[in-house]
Amino acid sequence: MSSNQQDLKTLVERPYEHGFVTDIEADTLPPGLDENVIRQISQKKNEPQFLLDWRLKAYRHWLTMTEPKWAKLHHKRIDYQQISYYSAPKQDKDAPKSLDEVDPKLLETYEKLGIPLHERAKLAGVAVDAVFDSVSVATTFKDKLAEAGVIFSSFSEAAQTHPELIKEYLGSVVPYRDNFFATLNSAVFTDGSFVYIPKGVRCPMELSTYFRINEAKTGQFERTLIIAEEGSYVSYLEGCTAPQRDENQLHAAVVELIAQGDAEIKYSTIQNWYPGDEEGRGGIYNFVTKRGDCRGANSKISWTQVEAGSAITWKYPSCILRGDNSVGEFYSVAVTNNRQQADTGTKMIHIGRNTRSTIISKGIAAGRAQNSYRGLVKMYPTAENARNYSQCDSLLMGDKSAAHTFPYMEIKNPTAVVEHEATTSKIGDDQLFYCRQRGLSEEDAINMIVNGFCKDVFRELPMEFAVEAQALMNVSLEGAVG
Amino acid sequence: MLLNISNLHVSVEGHEIIKGLDLEVGAGEVHAVMGPNGSGKSTLALTLAGRDNCAISAGSISYLDQDLTGLTPEERATAGIFLGFQYPVEIPGVNNVYLLKAALNARRKNLGEPEMDAIEFLRLIKEKAKLMQMDQSFLNRAVNEGFSGGEKKRNEIFQMAVLEPTLAILDETDSGLDIDAMKVVANGVNSQRNGERAFLLITHYQRLLDYIEPDFVHVLVDGRIVRSGDKTLAHDLEAHGYDGLLAAAANS
């Protein structure tokens, strides 16, 4: 392989593709956090009083909390007073009513990221909500969705137009006291997406949100709430990118999903925040709380995630299987290269009878990266005949990376069945040589082997995004074997 | 001359395994290389394919009048060198056909041919699978995953039949095969013989040569070819064993 060392070196040093900064005038709050900052955020968004009250309750509770230390992650202390909690591109007083009124620089940013907000969006047939720093800049296809009775808007807008829904559901899955980062989010969240699917409606198109961090020294704290009424269906995808900077930036999001009886929510994530450079300088600290509540009987929530970016990933998308016969699924690919660290997994909380859950986790560690799977399967005494199947596979590249698996199980019902399988393997020289002997380049061989390893997860992604996920995987691991 | 190996010395992990080997293979010829365990047969095969842990300390290998030693494994493969592995590796999640299509198109690119379209490709692999008496379902499984030893070997010959190499090196393809599987493998190889394609059959036993008739037989002992001859040499070897040859090599 020595003949390829130079090539590999060039590839490793290839910059992060989405690392550019959009030069746009921004309305940014100075760094620091106190009640006054929270009041200003709430005021800027013209929120109803109950939301401000909720934020302040969360903030006061947050002051009593300390950062969790149990994850297998090491990072610099986060100074919460050095972060700006609000940044928005300056715009004319009235919010843009259509894409034509959106600042062209913003549209250009999303074009560069390969997220078409204009005509191409129509061809792709995917509705997009674009969140730039602390605000949503555009949501496409709103009218068409409205015909089906589907509400898809930014969270801030929903707070204006559907306060009753926000009041009823916000914090009903992830309470404001839940954990340090979720509580912080509850206090300072700025924007995110809101989805409501009425009873019996199958959402006519894929919904997606693209999150972009642009401003320096800001954090992004988005809040997403998806409600699927009885017998409805929705498939939702989020994507994330950020500029390349030497400093670490904090991203602490909360996602809440509610599936009523016979409803199904499919939630997919392609996370590609800036991961830092090969020495571990810079990169996003990604502390995210995602939880779905299968409230009704026969409901289903499926999480699929491809976690490729971020310096630190701390994330456990979970399902509370409350309704009888409800189903929870978690399909995950977490890839870490260079000095990236990921501690990710899921929690499947079985409460109802005949509830079923499936966990498929694929961790890939290259360079000096650390990759941990951490998962909890909990069977309540009420979970008669509940079933869980977990499979956690790790793939190591090179000899300086590490993979860890932390499965937790709490079984309180004797009829419950829990299965767990785990493997760790290395991309072998034998596999690489075999592919190369058949004529594939070393890079192509690695991509093929890694994509084969991730196949069980990729096939859960909506078609349009499976290709994107594969391409992302290839870029993330370029030059990982040397 | 298609392949010309001269005074080749190869070390693996600091141990010299091949100690001055000469071999010439012309287009269309079938050469059998036989020898006891540890004589360097597999090292020879891997060295020709470009395995990086086979370090060449002296000698030369030319292939189609080109110095082979500076080429990467993939460059050698796309130039028409195929290695049928002794222990084909499993690649979970990677479809057998997908790998083969990527391999075939890499080869075609090297020959300046356009990528084969999906329908034509499918027709080709169906035809070749039939030749190897392989079940269709076999094609859509992951590369070698859960294959029996015999299936893995058959898969190697199937890949060779699709890729149509200029020089096919088959490393102990017969080992671990029952007599029926061996006939299928031999049949696959024989159907690929033509005036152009050359074969290097590396084998421990003479029995494969009952089904694939070689033009030349070489006996490799302790990193050197100690005897070369026609197919009758294989029969002598069967009758007298390697011991006689080892003794002869020691005396020389």
Side-chain angles (χ1 to χ4, degrees):
Chain A
M1 253 167 259
S2 55
S3 61
N4 287 336
Q5 286 292 359
Q6 196 51 45
D7 291 352
L8 291 175
K9 203 164 172 289
T10 355
L11 282 165
V12 171
E13 286 162 8
R14 197 173 116 146
Y16 172 74
E17 249 188 305
H18 308 299
F20 63 90
V21 180
T22 306
D23 182 17
I24 192 160
E25 236 192 305
D27 170 16
T28 305
L29 283 181
L33 180 57
D34 54 27
E35 289 200 5
N36 191 34
V37 166
I38 293 167
R39 286 176 202 281
Q40 282 184 67
I41 292 172
S42 189
Q43 194 181 11
K44 277 176 189 296
K45 296 194 170 282
N46 196 22
E47 286 177 350
Q49 184 64 35
F50 80 88
L51 257 183
L52 175 61
D53 294 344
W54 194 74
R55 287 174 180 278
L56 291 172
K57 265 196 296 188
Y59 176 66
R60 286 166 199 154
H61 184 68
W62 183 71
L63 291 174
T64 69
M65 301 172 94
T66 50
E67 263 180 55
K69 292 271 180 278
W70 42 262
K72 199 169 170 55
L73 300 170
H74 298 279
H75 58 84
K76 276 185 282 184
R77 206 177 67 83
I78 302 169
D79 185 344
Y80 294 90
Q81 295 304 331
Q82 288 301 310
I83 297 170
S84 163
Y85 289 84
Y86 183 87
S87 175
K90 267 195 185 140
Q91 56 191 15
D92 295 334
K93 233 185 166 140
D94 299 312
K97 290 191 180 52
S98 75
L99 278 180
D100 302 336
E101 292 173 36
V102 173
D103 189 323
K105 271 189 188 164
L106 284 174
L107 292 179
E108 201 180 295
T109 300
Y110 285 91
E111 285 290 326
K112 263 203 224 171
L113 295 171
I115 303 142
L117 294 178
H118 258 311
E119 302 82 1
R120 282 194 289 134
K122 288 175 190 158
L123 292 174
V126 177
V128 181
D129 183 24
V131 176
F132 192 87
D133 290 332
S134 305
V135 291
S136 166
V137 292
T139 310
T140 61
F141 286 108
K142 273 162 93 168
D143 299 345
K144 193 174 171 203
L145 289 166
E147 278 171 35
V150 172
I151 304 168
F152 178 42
S153 72
S154 73
F155 196 95
S156 306
E157 189 185 328
Q160 307 291 326
T161 53
H162 301 280
E164 72 295 345
L165 289 173
I166 303 278
K167 200 170 182 178
E168 183 178 350
Y169 290 103
L170 179 69
S172 73
V173 187
V174 180
Y176 72 82
R177 294 164 169 271
D178 195 80
N179 69 71
F180 184 84
F181 295 105
T183 302
L184 175 63
N185 173 286
S186 301
V188 303
F189 72 87
T190 41
D191 221 331
S193 296
F194 176 81
V195 176
Y196 178 84
I197 316 289
K199 192 171 167 177
V201 169
R202 196 180 165 87
C203 187
M205 60 179 74
E206 300 276 346
L207 304 183
S208 72
T209 302
Y210 270 86
F211 295 100
R212 172 75 177 170
I213 296 177
N214 190 60
E215 273 297 303
K217 296 189 166 57
T218 60
Q220 192 175 50
F221 305 92
E222 86 265 5
R223 186 109 196 170
T224 293
L225 179 57
I226 299 179
I227 303 148
E229 291 286 14
E230 226 169 279
S232 66
Y233 169 86
V234 62
S235 168
Y236 176 93
L237 181 124
E238 60 169 358
C240 330
T241 58
Q244 185 168 348
R245 290 205 175 88
D246 286 345
E247 68 188 76
N248 296 107
Q249 281 179 280
L250 179 64
H251 172 256
V254 173
V255 175
E256 295 179 275
L257 312 182
I258 295 123
Q260 304 290 12
D262 297 302
E264 180 176 348
I265 302 175
K266 188 172 169 59
Y267 192 106
S268 313
T269 303
I270 294 184
Q271 185 265 104
N272 187 23
W273 296 120
Y274 177 56
D277 66 11
E278 61 268 37
E279 295 304 321
R281 281 184 297 259
I284 302 292
Y285 288 170
N286 192 33
F287 292 91
V288 171
T289 304
K290 290 182 167 173
R291 198 172 300 152
D293 189 354
C294 284
R295 277 193 196 164
N298 311 312
S299 56
K300 179 176 174 183
I301 289 179
S302 180
W303 298 100
T304 304
Q305 61 171 17
V306 176
E307 300 286 317
S310 297
I312 302 261
T313 297
W314 179 98
K315 185 181 162 190
Y316 315 91
S318 306
C319 296
I320 300 167
L321 303 171
R322 208 184 295 274
D324 289 347
N325 313 313
S326 60
V327 176
E329 293 175 339
F330 175 74
Y331 298 98
S332 170
V333 165
V335 50
T336 47
N337 197 357
N338 297 318
R339 301 253 178 190
Q340 280 178 279
Q341 305 173 65
D343 192 304
T344 184
T346 185
K347 287 188 277 186
M348 292 292 175
I349 313 294
H350 292 252
I351 300 171
R353 299 158 63 91
N354 304 317
T355 46
R356 282 172 291 141
S357 63
T358 304
I359 299 171
I360 308 285
S361 164
K362 305 279 180 176
I364 301 162
R368 292 169 176 277
Q370 296 279 334
N371 201 320
S372 304
Y373 167 81
R374 189 182 302 277
L376 168 68
V377 176
K378 188 167 182 172
M379 303 286 190
Y380 273 72
T382 48
E384 284 290 315
N385 295 314
R387 297 277 182 280
N388 161 266
Y389 173 75
S390 302
Q391 187 189 328
C392 303
D393 299 323
S394 305
L395 188 67
L396 297 173
M397 299 170 82
D399 52 10
K400 293 190 177 69
S401 58
H404 316 274
T405 303
F406 304 99
Y408 304 84
M409 290 174 204
E410 290 176 33
I411 317 296
K412 302 270 170 61
N413 184 306
T415 64
V417 177
V418 177
E419 288 176 77
H420 180 89
E421 290 179 26
T423 65
T424 300
S425 54
K426 237 185 123 164
I427 284 203
D429 289 345
D430 288 344
Q431 287 176 328
L432 278 178
F433 182 67
Y434 189 86
C435 295
R436 294 176 76 188
Q437 207 303 305
R438 296 298 181 254
L440 277 72
S441 70
E442 188 175 34
E443 291 289 326
D444 287 348
I446 291 170
N447 292 342
M448 184 182 274
I449 294 165
V450 168
N451 279 310
F453 176 75
C454 300
K455 198 174 170 186
D456 293 345
V457 174
F458 286 167
R459 70 166 160 233
E460 294 298 325
L461 287 169
M463 187 74 93
E464 298 88 330
F465 303 109
V467 178
E468 186 180 335
Q470 279 198 16
L472 174 60
M473 197 61 62
N474 298 350
V475 171
S476 299
L477 287 173
E478 260 170 357
V481 166
Chain B
M1 196 52 58
L2 179 66
L3 179 72
N4 197 336
I5 304 173
S6 172
N7 189 33
L8 183 68
H9 290 255
V10 178
S11 299
V12 178
E13 288 165 4
H15 299 287
E16 192 172 53
I17 308 290
I18 294 183
K19 305 168 180 172
L21 182 143
D22 298 286
L23 181 66
E24 288 188 359
V25 178
E29 295 173 355
V30 176
H31 290 246
V33 176
M34 304 181 68
N37 287 330
S39 59
K41 300 188 300 291
S42 288
T43 301
L44 173 62
L46 291 168
T47 303
L48 291 174
R51 183 84 204 219
D52 61 352
N53 63 355
C54 298
I56 297 173
S57 50
S60 66
I61 307 171
S62 84
Y63 168 75
L64 293 171
D65 299 324
Q66 191 183 6
D67 177 16
L68 197 63
T69 55
L71 301 184
T72 63
E74 55 269 36
E75 284 166 342
R76 300 177 197 212
T78 52
I81 293 180
F82 177 90
L83 172 60
F85 284 80
Q86 184 178 5
Y87 303 109
V89 67
E90 298 186 4
I91 311 177
V94 175
N95 187 296
N96 219 5
V97 171
Y98 184 78
L99 171 67
L100 199 50
K101 189 159 189 244
L104 182 66
N105 283 329
R107 172 96 167 110
R108 287 172 70 98
K109 195 174 166 191
N110 185 272
L111 295 171
E113 295 171 10
E115 287 202 355
M116 192 178 267
D117 73 62
I119 295 168
E120 199 185 338
F121 176 72
L122 211 62
R123 194 180 301 133
L124 176 74
I125 58 166
K126 276 188 175 162
E127 174 202 320
K128 303 291 185 184
K130 207 169 158 189
L131 174 75
M132 294 311 297
Q133 300 179 18
M134 283 165 69
D135 192 60
Q136 293 285 322
S137 65
F138 195 55
L139 299 174
N140 290 314
R141 280 158 59 184
V143 178
N144 294 320
E145 200 183 28
F147 286 23
S148 71
E151 285 173 331
K152 284 182 183 173
K153 296 298 178 69
R154 227 189 281 186
N155 193 28
E156 294 291 290
I157 303 302
F158 163 67
Q159 293 186 11
M160 177 190 80
V162 173
L163 295 174
E164 303 191 323
T166 308
L167 172 64
I169 305 155
L170 304 180
D171 189 5
E172 303 220 11
T173 300
D174 53 328
S175 66
L177 293 185
D178 61 30
I179 200 76
D180 291 333
M182 182 134 80
K183 280 181 186 167
V184 173
V185 164
N187 191 27
V189 172
N190 286 329
S191 71
Q192 293 296 302
R193 287 177 77 161
N194 59 19
E196 297 297 314
R197 184 164 301 124
F199 290 85
L200 201 56
L201 304 176
I202 288 172
T203 179
H204 190 76
Y205 301 105
Q206 185 267 336
R207 59 173 196 166
L208 179 69
L209 307 180
D210 289 340
Y211 300 97
I212 307 172
E213 199 174 295
D215 299 308
F216 301 94
V217 174
H218 310 278
V219 180
L220 184 62
V221 176
D222 194 25
R224 267 184 291 258
I225 287 174
V226 295
R227 286 274 298 276
S228 292
D230 61 14
K231 61 181 177 182
T232 57
L233 178 58
H235 291 284
D236 289 352
L237 207 55
E238 187 78 352
H240 305 295
Y242 289 114
D243 289 346
L245 284 160
L246 282 170
N251 293 337
S252 68

